């Protein structure tokens, strides 16, 4: 039987599905793409490339949207698998007690997969979406193995890396050994890494005893611990990194919470701290100086100029307006109309400022400009009301 709500129910969509034919891989690939809801023509967004997209795209896209303002708005690209064991393994291996003959036969396509990402996927996303020159690669398990492989072998392809419980046990820890050497010899300036480790230790074991164990049950943990140690032992290589152990999560449950913590860590400089709002009080900071200083820091981290967030500046402007700080309110609203000249809301807010300042002529001009950009009922009502008051309407 059909649900009684089926006739009226509406689906909630988060992102779009699209296909891209790969000449490198000689196959069609499926992608899930999320773009910030209010993406403007002048705005560009960091891009988060997510491995195992069919499993992690929806939660990650929702997370990015929920954290807007705490982290930058960003595009999320979920790369769906076709042959996972081929694409997410950097080396070809022979079957053994942990790898079946079938899995071993298809292994080792990691370099070709990365060529697809570099030569086809990234240019494809850059050509269709408002992508900024800041890219993040995130992966869990074999995806985490791919993340570490990319950091070591294709270091500058991404700006930030998220390796969640990475399968560094692969191929008798071959990549772990390469990573230990690379972290000593290479330089990773301006790059960031977050490593998550779940609690897959058998009862009664700790991080010391587990390193002496040789069972397959401890293989993942035995490989991640030396990797984190190598990160800790090479503070001079320029890599900004953090790691976290999740005692209450297993391999299969850690991805969600680790993805959240990773994004919070990577962009821990991004949010406009409440302490910076002290300029709103007598004797506090000048708003332009505070905003400029904060967004200069953000721009330095991301490597390109980032404009102050329109919504955040708009809210601060209304805060000043409510507090009768008209000069500061004007500076903030004017900043938005300068930075976002195609934003109807920016000119609507400027109209509200002029109303509060008693300049009805400029308020009318601002509301008209807003309506030229986008027709909204609220702005139209304010304009009509003003024009009636000034006898400018028939």
């Amino acid at each position: 039987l059909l649900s009684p709500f089926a006739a009226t129910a509406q689906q909630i969509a988060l992102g779009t599905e699209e296909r891209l034919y790969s000449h490198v891989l000689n196959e069609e690939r499926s992608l899930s793409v999320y773009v910030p809801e209010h993406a403007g023509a002048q705005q560009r967004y960091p891009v988060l490339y997510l491995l195992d997209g069919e499993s992690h795209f929806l939660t990650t896209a929702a997370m990015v949207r929920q954290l807007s303002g705490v982290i930058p708005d960003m595009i999320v690209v979920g790369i769906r698998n076709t042959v996972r064991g081929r694409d997410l393994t950097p080396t070809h291996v022979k079957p053994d007690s942990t790898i079946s003959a079938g899995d071993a036969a298809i292994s080792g396509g990691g370099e070709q997969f990365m060529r697809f990402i570099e030569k086809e996927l990234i240019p494809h996303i850059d050509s269709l979406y408002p992508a900024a020159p800041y890219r993040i690669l995130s992966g869990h398990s074999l995806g985490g193995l791919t993340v570490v492989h990319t950091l070591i072998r294709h270091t500058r392809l991404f700006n930030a890396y998220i390796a969640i419980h990475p399968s560094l046990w692969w191929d008798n820890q071959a990549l772990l050994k390469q990573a230990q050497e690379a972290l000593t010899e290479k330089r990773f300036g301006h790059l960031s890494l977050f490593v998550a480790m779940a609690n897959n230790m058998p009862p009664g074991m700790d991080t010391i005893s587990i390193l002496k164990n040789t069972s397959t049950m401890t293989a993942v943990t035995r490989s991640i611990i030396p990797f984190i140690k190598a990160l800790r032992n090479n503070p001079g290589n320029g890599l900004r990194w953090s790691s976290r152990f999740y005692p209450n999560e297993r391999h299969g449950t850690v991805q969600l919470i680790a993805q959240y913590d990773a994004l919070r860590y990577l962009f821990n400089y991004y949010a406009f701290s409440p302490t910076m709002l002290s300029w709103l009080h007598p004797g506090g900071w000048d708003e332009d100086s505070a905003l400029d200083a904060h967004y200069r820091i953000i721009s330095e981290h991301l490597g390109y100029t980032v404009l102050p967030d329109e919504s955040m500046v708009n809210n601060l402007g209304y805060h000043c307006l409510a507090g009768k700080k008209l000069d500061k309110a004007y500076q903030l609203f004017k900043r938005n109309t300068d930075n976002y000249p195609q934003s109807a809301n920016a000119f609507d807010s400027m109209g509200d400022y002029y109303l509060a300042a008693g300049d009805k002529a400029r308020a009318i001009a601002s509301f008209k400009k807003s309506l030229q950009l986008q027709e909204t009922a609220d702005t139209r009502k304010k304009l009509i009301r003003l024009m009636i008051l000034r006898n400018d309407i028939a």
Side-chain angles (χ1 to χ4, degrees):
L1 292 177
L2 292 176
S3 164
F5 303 105
T8 58
Q10 294 184 356
Q11 289 187 334
I12 299 174
L14 185 64
T16 58
E17 298 294 325
E18 64 174 81
R19 295 182 178 276
L20 170 65
Y21 186 82
S22 169
H23 295 279
V24 171
L25 300 174
N26 194 30
E27 65 183 13
E28 189 175 60
R29 300 300 299 238
S30 296
L31 308 170
S32 301
V33 183
Y34 166 79
V35 179
E37 292 176 299
H38 304 294
Q42 294 179 296
Q43 294 171 286
R44 292 292 181 266
Y45 304 95
V47 184
L48 170 58
Y49 289 88
L50 187 68
L51 303 175
D52 290 321
E54 68 277 10
S55 300
H56 307 311
F57 172 77
L58 287 176
T59 54
T60 302
M63 191 182 299
V64 166
R65 184 167 68 174
Q66 180 68 25
L67 289 173
S68 176
V70 178
I71 66 174
D73 289 328
M74 64 180 72
I75 297 167
V76 181
V77 179
I79 309 172
R80 291 173 169 265
N81 290 311
T82 53
V83 185
R84 186 175 189 267
R86 174 197 69 189
D87 293 341
L88 302 187
T89 54
T91 54
H92 182 75
V93 296
K94 296 179 180 180
D96 58 22
S97 59
T98 61
I99 302 173
S100 70
D103 289 340
I106 63 171
S107 65
E111 274 298 309
Q112 195 77 338
F113 180 65
M114 197 49 56
R115 186 164 176 262
F116 154 69
I117 291 178
E118 179 179 7
K119 302 299 183 182
E120 295 179 326
L121 179 56
I122 291 175
H124 173 76
I125 296 299
D126 287 350
S127 69
L128 292 181
Y129 298 98
Y134 188 94
R135 297 187 290 267
I136 309 160
L137 181 64
S138 176
H140 166 249
S141 192
L142 285 179
L145 177 74
T146 298
V147 168
V148 177
H149 169 76
T150 308
L151 172 67
I152 300 306
R153 298 291 298 275
H154 304 274
T155 304
R156 297 292 165 180
L157 186 55
F158 294 89
N159 304 84
Y161 297 85
I162 302 172
I164 301 174
H165 210 60
S167 297
L168 291 170
W169 59 268
W170 181 263
D171 196 5
N172 295 314
Q173 300 184 334
L175 183 61
L176 169 62
K177 296 164 188 173
Q178 294 174 25
Q180 289 170 321
E181 293 180 6
L183 289 170
T184 301
E185 299 170 358
K186 295 184 71 170
R187 293 296 173 264
F188 300 88
H190 304 293
L191 300 183
S192 300
L193 168 69
F194 182 88
V195 182
M197 185 172 76
N199 185 4
N200 270 50
M201 293 184 288
M205 282 195 174
D206 55 26
T207 55
I208 296 176
S209 61
I210 203 170
L211 292 176
K212 301 176 182 178
N213 188 277
T214 58
S215 70
T216 57
M217 290 182 61
T218 63
V220 181
T221 307
R222 277 189 288 112
S223 304
I224 298 175
I225 291 174
F227 178 59
I228 294 174
K229 182 179 179 181
L231 289 167
R232 189 176 294 115
N233 288 344
N234 292 280
N237 61 19
L239 181 63
R240 173 178 173 256
W241 71 276
S242 181
S243 67
R244 186 162 182 176
F245 173 60
Y246 295 86
N248 298 319
E249 305 297 335
R250 305 294 286 178
H251 180 79
T253 67
V254 72
Q255 193 277 337
L256 180 66
I257 188 172
Q259 187 77 52
Y260 176 88
D261 288 341
L263 292 172
R264 293 299 302 268
Y265 167 72
L266 293 179
F267 299 106
N268 59 11
Y269 54 84
Y270 188 83
F272 195 68
S273 170
T275 59
M276 298 184 73
L277 301 184
S278 61
W279 56 265
L280 290 171
H281 304 286
W285 296 351
D286 172 74
E287 68 279 3
D288 281 330
S289 297
L291 286 170
D292 287 342
H294 183 66
Y295 277 86
R296 186 163 54 248
I297 292 171
I298 291 174
S299 298
E300 288 173 356
H301 275 282
L302 295 179
Y304 61 94
T305 300
V306 180
L307 297 176
D309 178 74
E310 179 187 356
S311 178
M312 184 266 293
V313 174
N314 199 58
N315 290 337
L316 293 178
Y318 279 111
H319 187 102
C320 288
L321 206 58
K324 307 300 182 183
K325 300 178 177 67
L326 295 184
D327 288 346
K328 291 183 177 182
Y330 173 79
Q331 291 174 341
L332 290 162
F333 291 135
K334 183 65 165 60
R335 180 186 284 266
N336 266 352
T337 58
D338 288 344
N339 287 342
Y340 304 99
Q342 299 304 310
S343 169
N345 189 63
F347 286 94
D348 176 82
S349 297
M350 182 58 86
D352 288 341
Y353 159 76
Y354 282 126
L355 264 183
D359 192 337
K360 294 183 177 63
R362 285 194 171 91
I364 288 174
S366 294
F367 291 142
K368 285 183 175 180
K369 176 65 175 178
S370 176
L371 290 168
Q372 288 174 3
L373 294 168
Q374 182 181 352
E375 181 70 33
T376 60
D378 183 60
T379 304
R380 177 64 66 184
K381 287 179 183 178
K382 287 188 284 190
L383 177 61
I384 291 174
R385 188 181 304 116
L386 261 180
M387 294 178 72
I388 290 174
L389 288 173
R390 296 187 75 234
N391 297 317
D392 284 345
I393 189 168

